Amino acid sequence: MKDGSASLNENAQRIADGMIHDAERLRISVSKGPSGESLIDAGAKVLGSVEAGLRMAEAAMGGLGTISAVMDRSLKKWPLTVEVRSSQPVLACLASQYAGWNLSSGKYFAMGSGPARALARVEPLFEKLTYKDTASSAVLVLETAEPPPPAVVQKVADATGLAADRLTVLYAPTQSLAATVQIVSRVLEVALHKANDLKFPLENIVDGIGASPIPALHPDFLTAMGRTNDAIIYGGIVQLFVKGSAKDAKGLAEKLPSKASRDYGQPFANIFKQFKGDFYSIDPLLFSPAEIIVTAIETGDTFRAGGRDLMMLERSLG
């Protein structure tokens, strides 16, 4: 046991193994890469499914998240919604789900997500996270249409201290059913990441739940990427349960919504074009849910800020 949870990678490996067992039902394909790594294609050369995306997201959270697809009738045009809960939100979201590991090589570009990051611990974020995983296998999640080339597989193997044949890679392109679901399943994660950027003590975030509409997928990469981002930025809602003073909880609630960003108010695809495709020029405070609820568990106070922007959802999700 580590920080009150079993190994993130062991948890994720069980989920990945279940996906392999149910491959036909999930409409995914399973193969071995040139270095012996296990490859699970959830949407590149296969159709994939919503369920494959849900399981992909659960693996990305190291098994510490409960994720489901539900029908939210309050959003009449986009009722299909993903709901994410975690009682270990810092570990599930920041130590595992956050796509913070640059695994680009040559013309291949991918940001690594999933619990393999907690074994590698190569990102500056892990200077704040005390969690250290130990496992005999590792699970990596990639938002890409191509499996990682041998150079990337070797980079992951070296960083995690595991042989390549102990790695399982789940991947799907942005335009697929599975990727669309697993991307909007990050609605809670973006709130945690922004809370960290705002220097709110991560140890004070003890529980969380989030929901986001699942947009229709689109064959164009930029449109698909814009829709998944806008689903969270203009349609996501998160409630966090925190320790500490009511004042701190109120301050967090006021600063967390995406509306606090200077770049708020346009479809994400337009913002991306405006900054010539440079993610790092976009205000990082934009990447957060539209509506925030923060409950201070030691005082009983609850604070609310932001709100869903139906006009922006109409412009982006169609």
Side-chain angles (χ1 to χ4, degrees):
M1 303 293 284
K2 305 154 190 75
D3 283 14
S5 67
S7 161
L8 292 170
N9 280 283
E10 289 177 1
N11 292 344
Q13 191 64 59
R14 285 193 290 271
I15 295 167
D17 289 344
M19 292 179 71
I20 292 170
H21 180 269
D22 296 336
E24 185 175 355
R25 178 160 71 88
L26 298 175
R27 297 195 298 261
I28 61 178
S29 69
V30 181
S31 62
K32 289 287 185 181
S35 301
E37 70 277 14
S38 296
L39 299 172
I40 299 178
D41 175 1
K45 294 182 179 179
V46 295
L47 183 58
S49 59
V50 169
E51 186 177 350
L54 294 172
R55 297 220 211 162
M56 204 174 176
E58 288 177 349
M61 296 184 79
L64 297 184
T66 301
I67 307 172
S68 56
V70 299
M71 298 297 281
D72 179 358
R73 296 293 182 182
S74 69
L75 288 174
K76 293 183 180 179
K77 292 190 70 172
W78 316 278
L80 183 57
T81 296
V82 67
E83 186 175 281
V84 184
R85 291 180 283 120
S86 180
S87 293
Q88 295 277 349
V90 174
L91 292 184
C93 296
L94 299 185
S96 194
Q97 190 181 23
Y98 174 59
W101 191 3
N102 190 332
L103 293 172
S104 302
S105 177
K107 294 182 179 180
Y108 183 84
F109 176 81
M111 297 298 292
S113 175
R117 296 174 50 246
L119 281 176
R121 293 182 59 87
V122 296
E123 303 158 45
L125 177 60
F126 283 93
E127 294 174 8
K128 287 189 175 183
L129 302 176
T130 59
Y131 178 85
K132 293 183 180 180
D133 202 359
T134 56
S136 59
S137 62
V139 176
L140 184 71
V141 177
L142 301 174
E143 182 188 338
T144 177
E146 299 291 337
V152 169
V153 173
Q154 192 57 51
K155 179 179 180 179
V156 174
D158 291 343
T160 57
L162 297 172
D165 64 3
R166 303 302 300 166
L167 304 179
T168 299
V169 181
L170 291 75
Y171 68 98
T174 310
Q175 303 94 312
S176 66
L177 272 170
T180 298
V181 171
Q182 77 91 8
I183 294 167
V184 297
S185 295
R186 297 171 183 273
V187 59
L188 180 59
E189 177 255 297
V190 295
L192 268 287
H193 192 261
K194 186 169 179 179
N196 180 53
D197 286 344
L198 294 170
K199 305 194 183 313
F200 187 85
L202 294 178
E203 64 274 15
N204 284 359
I205 303 176
V206 299
D207 221 308
I209 183 170
S212 171
I214 300 174
L217 62 164
H218 196 282
D220 176 68
F221 167 74
L222 184 59
T223 303
M225 179 183 66
R227 286 181 174 183
T228 53
N229 277 279
D230 289 337
I232 294 174
I233 293 169
Y234 300 111
I237 178 171
V238 162
Q239 180 165 8
L240 298 178
F241 298 86
V242 303
K243 296 186 295 184
S245 70
K247 178 182 178 182
D248 288 346
K250 181 182 180 186
L252 180 64
E254 291 172 347
K255 294 174 183 176
L256 264 185
S258 53
K259 198 168 187 176
S261 167
R262 66 163 196 244
D263 292 330
Y264 181 94
Q266 297 184 64
F268 184 80
N270 292 0
I271 298 171
F272 190 73
K273 290 177 184 176
Q274 177 185 329
F275 288 104
K276 298 181 168 57
D278 182 3
F279 264 108
Y280 298 101
S281 294
I282 300 171
D283 180 10
L285 299 182
L286 178 67
F287 299 99
S288 52
E291 186 173 351
I292 297 292
I293 304 167
V294 178
T295 296
I297 62 174
E298 294 170 336
T299 68
D301 295 292
T302 294
F303 304 94
R304 300 168 177 84
R308 287 172 163 173
D309 191 328
L310 296 183
M311 185 179 297
M312 290 304 306
L313 292 175
E314 185 79 33
R315 289 180 63 185
S316 178
L317 273 57

